[in-house]
């Protein structure tokens, strides 16, 4: 069984899948570095890019993405599971519609409202990112669990599995592909939305982007934008690998 699983992973995680995205990111970063190193930087641009400021903003961006995604999972996964249970099944449309409002609202407007309510700071930016990204995980969790053949659930209960056992050993493994697709979408959304954290005092690469726009310093703007794009590509690539690894062997597709 384990050997078959390993063979399936080798078949799906090809060398192209492992190399293409990181290789493209390396090329993009190299071209950006060549551009910046060949460009005359005045004192304003140098101040924006020196002293470890770029590394600091990149690290802040990673932290914002990781923390917000963690809270999205903590909220959306248990809630999605609960909404597929008989006691709360009727509440699912209303809760999903409420989550949809959060994503339908313009991100910058949502962040502005949260700043008025919670004040300026990273926690406000993270709260806005969570509200904005919770829908894909919630909706996919509900859809994945509802798509399971009821006969499989009844068969599991028929052989003596408890409700929790059926959920853990039958329902969740079968729903994993859809759930992971929602998590992957939320991750990429959070990388993009984190650029708006600068307007709420949250830092991140958005600081470089807005600084480049306000001071009209193209190198600063390009570095902030390119790093954001590269981070989104790497996050999506890593999530795709995790998706392959966690998908049950019987549900793998070529």
């Amino acid at each position: 069984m384990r050997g078959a699983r390993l063979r399936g992973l080798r078949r799906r995680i090809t060398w192209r899948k492992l190399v293409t995205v990181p290789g493209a990111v390396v090329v993009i970063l190299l071209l950006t570095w060549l551009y910046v190193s060949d460009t005359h930087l005045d004192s304003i641009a140098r101040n924006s890019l020196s002293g470890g400021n770029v590394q600091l903003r990149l690290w802040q961006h990673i932290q914002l993405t990781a923390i917000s995604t963690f809270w999205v999972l903590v909220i959306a996964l248990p809630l999605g599971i609960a909404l597929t249970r008989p006691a709360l099944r009727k509440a699912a449309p209303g809760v999903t519609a409420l989550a949809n409002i959060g994503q339908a609202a313009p991100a910058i407007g949502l962040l502005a409202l949260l700043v008025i309510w919670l004040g300026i700071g990273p926690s406000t930016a993270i709260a806005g990112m969570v509200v904005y990204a919770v829908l894909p995980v919630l909706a996919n969790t509900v859809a994945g669990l509802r798509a399971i053949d009821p006969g499989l659930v009844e068969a599991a209960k028929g052989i003596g599995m408890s409700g929790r056992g059926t959920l853990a050993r039958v329902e969740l493994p079968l729903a994993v592909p859809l759930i992971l697709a929602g998590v992957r979408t939320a991750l990429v959304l959070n990388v993009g939305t984190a650029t708006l954290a600068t307007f709420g005092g949250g830092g991140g690469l958005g600081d470089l982007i807005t600084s480049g726009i306000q001071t009209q310093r193209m190198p600063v703007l390009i570095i902030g934008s390119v790093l954001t794009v590269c981070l989104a590509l790497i996050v999506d690539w890593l999530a795709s690998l995790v998706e392959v690894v966690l998908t049950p062997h019987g549900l793998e597709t070529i």
Side-chain angles (χ1 to χ4, degrees), residues 82-120:
L83 292 175
T84 60
R85 304 303 96 181
L88 294 177
R89 193 166 294 165
K90 292 182 179 180
V95 175
T96 304
L98 184 62
N100 194 37
I101 292 174
Q103 193 175 60
I108 187 65
L110 177 63
L111 182 60
L113 291 175
L114 289 174
V115 166
I116 295 172
W117 181 30
L118 301 175
I120 293 176

Side-chain angles (χ1 to χ4, degrees), residues 116-137:
I116 295 172
W117 181 30
L118 301 175
I120 293 176
S123 57
T124 301
I126 290 171
M129 293 168 65
V130 170
V131 172
Y132 200 68
V134 76
L135 177 64
V137 181

